[in-house]
Amino acid sequence: MTDTLNELKTKVPQVTLLFWVLKMMSTTVGETGADWINFGLGFGLTHTSIIAAGLFVVTLLFQLKSDRYIPWLYWLTVLLVSITGTLITDYLTDQLQVPLLYSVAMFGSALVMVLMFWHRTEGTLEFTTINTTGRELYYWLAIMITFAFGTALGDALAEKLGLGYLSTTLVFAVLIAICCFLWRLAVFSSVACFWTVYVLTRPLGASLADLFSQPIKEGGLGYGTTPVNIIFLIAMVILISVSSMSYPTSRNTPHA
């Protein structure tokens, strides 16, 4: 993966409020969707993981082969990498009995290493320069790890501290607000802020999904996995459609 690879058009969206809303919703749908396949359809964790990973690989190949940013394809890839990254941590925890704190340390270290190799190989981590196959591969690998890392981080706080879904949601919302505030003060670089918030929006979205879907006796609002999944999925489709309509007028502006 070097700079001699064929140049591509930038194939990722602008980092706007719409971007972060869609990212959080992809996490919410990913959390409830994985639970629905795993428990609702009775596929089990192993089969669910295989199905999600297979769909992600196929979709990623289409994403890599495309020559431009296609909103529905990009966000479908994010949705599937959300499910896959979440299931990686769940499989380590539930099947291999890896402690959550070990997973936090492992995936946190892996993310730092990927970003370091990305910078060393490509010379930049700026989001406006994700315009080669090599940079795009690093981008999706880093995103995969953020979902696994965010899953382990959120589960560790929820299970170790017993905060409950509402408190956990508020904790991560506050952390994101602090990160954005530090970025506005120029304490955080745009790159550091982006990846920090990308990690934190995973447990935020998952906690929000659990808050709405889990039974009241378990600290949720009791709406159920299927209704929550459908509502957030419809909302994503609407917002992606809005993104598709607005994109052509902003093609030459900076991207994530």
Side-chain angles (χ1 to χ4, degrees):
M1 293 178 286
T2 65
D3 289 329
T4 60
L5 291 171
N6 293 329
E7 290 290 319
L8 303 170
K9 294 180 181 179
T10 303
K11 293 160 54 181
V12 293
Q14 293 176 289
V15 178
T16 62
L17 178 60
L18 179 60
F19 172 89
W20 289 118
V21 171
L22 279 169
K23 196 278 179 178
M24 188 189 70
M25 284 187 171
S26 72
T27 300
T28 304
V29 174
E31 176 78 6
T32 55
D35 288 345
W36 180 67
I37 297 172
N38 186 6
F39 301 109
L41 298 181
F43 277 46
L45 183 57
T46 300
H47 291 153
T48 301
S49 300
I50 293 173
I51 292 170
L55 290 173
F56 166 62
V57 170
V58 171
T59 307
L60 179 61
L61 289 176
F62 280 103
Q63 168 68 22
L64 293 173
K65 285 176 67 66
S66 66
D67 61 356
R68 60 190 175 88
Y69 167 59
I70 304 173
W72 72 265
L73 179 58
Y74 174 87
W75 287 109
L76 178 60
T77 310
V78 171
L79 178 60
L80 291 171
V81 77
S82 166
I83 296 174
T84 305
T86 297
L87 289 170
I88 288 174
T89 296
D90 289 345
Y91 190 85
L92 289 174
T93 304
D94 298 337
Q95 297 294 324
L96 302 182
Q97 303 301 311
V98 176
L100 283 169
L101 293 180
Y102 285 16
S103 294
V104 169
M106 179 175 62
F107 289 123
S109 300
L111 179 59
V112 172
M113 290 179 63
V114 167
L115 294 177
M116 288 176 61
F117 277 113
W118 180 356
H119 188 272
R120 183 180 180 85
T121 305
E122 302 294 336
T124 179
L125 293 176
E126 288 295 331
F127 311 123
T128 54
T129 63
I130 302 176
N131 53 7
T132 67
T133 302
R135 291 169 185 172
E136 194 177 6
L137 285 171
Y138 273 121
Y139 178 79
W140 287 110
L141 178 58
I143 286 177
M144 168 77 79
I145 296 172
T146 65
F147 279 107
F149 181 33
T151 300
L153 183 62
D155 289 350
L157 287 180
E159 293 181 15
K160 296 296 181 181
L161 299 181
L163 295 180
Y165 303 126
L166 178 59
S167 297
T168 302
T169 301
L170 293 175
V171 166
F172 284 107
V174 170
L175 289 175
I176 290 171
I178 291 173
C179 180
C180 294
F181 179 71
L182 293 176
W183 170 70
R184 296 291 275 178
L185 293 179
V187 175
F188 257 17
S189 68
S190 59
V191 171
C193 185
F194 176 85
W195 289 111
T196 301
V197 173
Y198 212 99
V199 169
L200 294 175
T201 47
R202 193 279 157 197
L204 173 66
S207 298
L208 192 63
D210 288 336
L211 176 64
F212 282 108
S213 63
Q214 295 303 309
I216 295 176
K217 63 181 181 180
E218 295 180 12
L221 297 177
Y223 292 111
T225 298
T226 300
V228 171
N229 199 35
I230 292 174
I231 291 172
F232 276 92
L233 187 57
I234 291 174
M236 277 195 71
V237 171
I238 293 172
L239 290 177
I240 291 170
S241 299
V242 171
S243 173
S244 300
M245 291 186 291
S246 63
Y247 176 67
T249 62
S250 58
R251 297 184 62 132
N252 298 320
T253 55
H255 287 67

